[in-house]
Amino acid sequence: MPPPKETEFTEALGEPVAGNGLLHRRAFLRGGVLFAGAAGAVSVAGVSIAANPIGIDAPPSMLAPGRPFSPYGSPAATEAAVIRSFTLNERAPGTGSSRTPHHLLNGTITPNGLHFERHHNGVPTIDPAEHRLYIHGLVDRPLVFSMDALMRYPMESMIRFVECAGNSGAAATALNPPRNTVQGIHGLLSCSEWTGIRLAVLLDEAGIQPDANWILAEGADAAAMSRSIPLEKAMDDTLLALYQNGEAIRPEQGYPMRLLVPGFQGNLNVKWLRRIELTNGPTHTKDETSKYSELMPDGTARQFWLEHGVKSFIARPSYGVNLSGPGLYEISGLAWSGYGRITRVEVSADNGASWADAALGEPIVPKALTRFRLPWEWSGQEAVVMSRATDERGNVQPTRDVWRTDFAPGQGYMYNGIQNWAVSATGEVTNV
Ligand SMILES: Nc1nc2c(c(=O)[nH]1)N[C@H]1C(S)=C(S)[C@@H](COP(=O)(O)O)O[C@H]1N2
Ligand SMILES: [Mo]
């Protein structure tokens, strides 16, 4: 459905624009709907007309001085449930992943302590004073960099997502929709402002030989995680990242340095980076043959399919984030694409029968998370809500059924199908 024209909207202030109570994306801003306090307002649990004038009873926090300063801040004690989730692997405690609780966060930037983690053999302890980065292979001058040397290079910052190729895989492959939260299904995804040196600057300094067309990046962890990256991408927007949301990259994210390969699958973003070798053709390392290649219906495997497709999910409401009675809500979630900017997110509350355009949070940054929002007046009837994103290349997020026809059963890497949530009459949300 095209976005309604402004005139239509002004006349229909607060009127549904799509089935099952979806309101215009700017209805909140234009005063088309009120939560409480006016004739015809929608009721929301927890908002009511104040019976007493404000300020007569000062809360306890106003009666004594607050606590003093702290050297490094932490979240409020009452936010203790907003944490990464993981299952401990007793035999290999550092192998596996932890997940970002997107259903409990808002905005687009992931706090550093909640960035998802994916380690193939734990988090190494690296002394930045001892750490070196090597650039060698098909170059005129093999180079070795210390941290001190790197700190003198020009830096730049970019807000970008990192997503594991295995993210949302359970939604692709499970026979029944997983009974799990946004965190459990889509939590191998985070977004930060990364700061560092364009890799192209360092590769140019080493002097790229004409027959070099790929690079190999290797980490200094016990997995020696290594992946091949096309030279074209390495010379484009690939960053040698040293900072994450303003502070030195966390140990879990690759301290003291990692590659940031915007829009490409997570495992190319090699952490604890120790060497880059320029090669002719890809290296076919263990991490890109046994893993991270996708099984096709004819039994062959697809390799080096690197860009994440356009994708989105609704975080509120979602599994475990239930509705508390009929009335007004904001449907909100995240959209992103490995190919560039998000241009449109449509939301349906009637199982895909009709759609309304959501408002997109500004600025819309390419290859970064974009927050979408849409007001919804829930009648208290059963509903199925879902979101469908489009990117600037014109890619549209597919349904699960359409996505699955392209791959062998059981293949779940790089899944970007539409996520449906069913809302029951009691407001309980499940995955369908
Ligand atoms: N050296 C090294 N780099 C690595 C990994 C690893 O195990 N070792 N895991 C990769 C995978 S599979 C992903 S999805 C991303 C995850 O980055 P994060 O842990 O910062 O979220 O790092 C990639 N880089
Ligand atoms: Mo990954």
Side-chain angles (χ1 to χ4, degrees):
M1 202 189 90
K5 285 195 233 79
E6 205 63 22
T7 45
E8 290 172 37
F9 161 55
T10 318
E11 280 157 23
L13 214 63
E15 292 296 316
V17 296
N20 231 351
L22 290 179
L23 303 184
H24 190 276
R25 65 189 184 283
R26 286 196 296 273
F28 280 159
L29 289 180
R30 300 297 192 79
V33 283
L34 294 168
F35 280 100
V42 219
S43 69
V44 176
V47 184
S48 53
I49 308 291
N52 298 312
I54 307 292
I56 284 180
D57 301 319
S61 59
M62 296 175 76
L63 304 178
R67 64 173 171 72
F69 310 97
S70 52
Y72 197 101
S74 29
T78 40
E79 296 295 314
V82 185
I83 48 176
R84 294 191 281 226
S85 63
F86 54 92
T87 38
L88 193 62
N89 178 342
E90 301 268 336
R91 291 209 192 136
T95 304
S97 48
S98 70
R99 293 161 176 272
T100 300
H102 287 296
H103 60 308
L104 304 175
L105 301 175
N106 215 316
T108 56
I109 300 291
T110 309
N112 288 346
L114 296 176
H115 196 286
F116 86 94
E117 305 162 274
R118 171 76 180 100
H119 318 308
H120 290 75
N121 205 351
V123 181
T125 304
I126 295 179
D127 178 355
E130 297 296 321
H131 187 75
R132 297 288 179 272
L133 172 67
Y134 297 86
I135 298 183
H136 66 116
L138 300 174
V139 291
D140 298 334
R141 292 168 292 278
L143 296 175
V144 51
F145 298 90
S146 67
M147 280 300 279
D148 278 351
L150 290 171
M151 294 308 271
R152 299 172 65 162
Y153 279 78
M155 297 202 195
E156 61 186 279
S157 302
M158 44 179 94
I159 298 173
R160 298 291 182 266
F161 73 80
V162 176
E163 182 181 17
C164 180
N167 194 31
S168 324
T173 56
L175 289 179
N176 297 307
R179 300 210 137 247
N180 212 334
T181 57
V182 154
Q183 179 172 26
I185 303 172
H186 306 295
L188 298 178
L189 162 79
S190 301
C191 185
S192 308
E193 185 207 57
W194 303 96
T195 299
I197 305 158
R198 281 255 178 175
L199 191 59
V201 172
L202 304 177
L203 296 182
D204 274 339
E205 190 169 359
I208 303 169
Q209 295 191 348
D211 47 345
N213 51 14
W214 283 72
I215 68 166
L216 174 76
E218 184 185 85
D221 53 335
M225 167 96 193
S226 46
R227 279 234 51 178
S228 308
I229 302 166
L231 181 61
E232 202 187 343
K233 180 67 174 177
M235 293 299 289
D236 182 19
D237 56 353
T238 297
L239 195 72
L240 176 70
L242 305 170
Y243 296 88
Q244 172 187 1
N245 295 327
E247 64 180 0
I249 285 182
R250 292 277 173 104
E252 301 91 310
Q253 266 66 60
Y255 183 81
M257 64 183 75
R258 83 176 305 165
L259 273 190
L260 179 75
V261 189
F264 279 32
Q265 45 174 258
N267 55 77
L268 278 80
N269 297 255
V270 173
K271 303 188 281 189
W272 315 294
L273 184 69
R274 82 175 199 104
R275 76 180 175 102
I276 287 178
E277 181 178 350
L278 282 88
T279 59
N280 182 267
T283 302
H284 298 288
T285 70
K286 66 179 183 337
D287 299 305
E288 59 199 17
T289 48
S290 68
K291 281 198 174 97
Y292 306 120
S293 50
E294 297 80 28
L295 203 56
M296 308 303 285
D298 64 2
T300 61
R302 172 145 117 183
Q303 248 190 317
F304 304 120
W305 171 33
L306 301 174
E307 277 110 337
H308 279 287
V310 63
K311 189 164 167 183
S312 70
F313 58 78
I314 293 173
R316 305 186 66 87
S318 63
Y319 186 94
V321 183
N322 297 330
L323 305 184
S324 53
L328 200 57
Y329 289 89
E330 183 177 74
I331 291 179
S332 124
L334 293 168
W336 67 103
S337 166
Y339 293 95
R341 287 182 183 78
I342 290 296
T343 50
R344 186 180 196 190
V345 179
E346 299 155 283
V347 170
S348 174
D350 55 10
N351 204 8
S354 64
W355 299 83
D357 278 85
L360 304 182
E362 300 281 349
I364 300 172
V365 179
K367 304 172 193 174
L369 297 185
T370 295
R371 175 67 57 173
F372 64 87
R373 304 175 187 280
L374 192 71
W376 182 34
E377 193 174 350
W378 182 51
S379 63
Q381 309 286 305
E382 284 181 5
V384 174
V385 297
M386 62 184 79
S387 60
R388 177 170 70 193
T390 303
D391 69 18
E392 61 185 334
R393 293 269 194 96
N395 301 309
V396 182
Q397 190 179 2
T399 62
R400 178 174 184 268
D401 287 347
V402 166
W403 188 89
R404 277 165 55 105
T405 55
D406 286 345
F407 299 96
Q411 139 61 27
Y413 283 136
M414 304 296 277
Y415 177 65
N416 70 328
I418 288 175
Q419 166 72 57
N420 303 346
W421 302 113
V423 181
S424 77
T426 58
E428 199 195 346
V429 184
T430 51
N431 191 358
V432 285

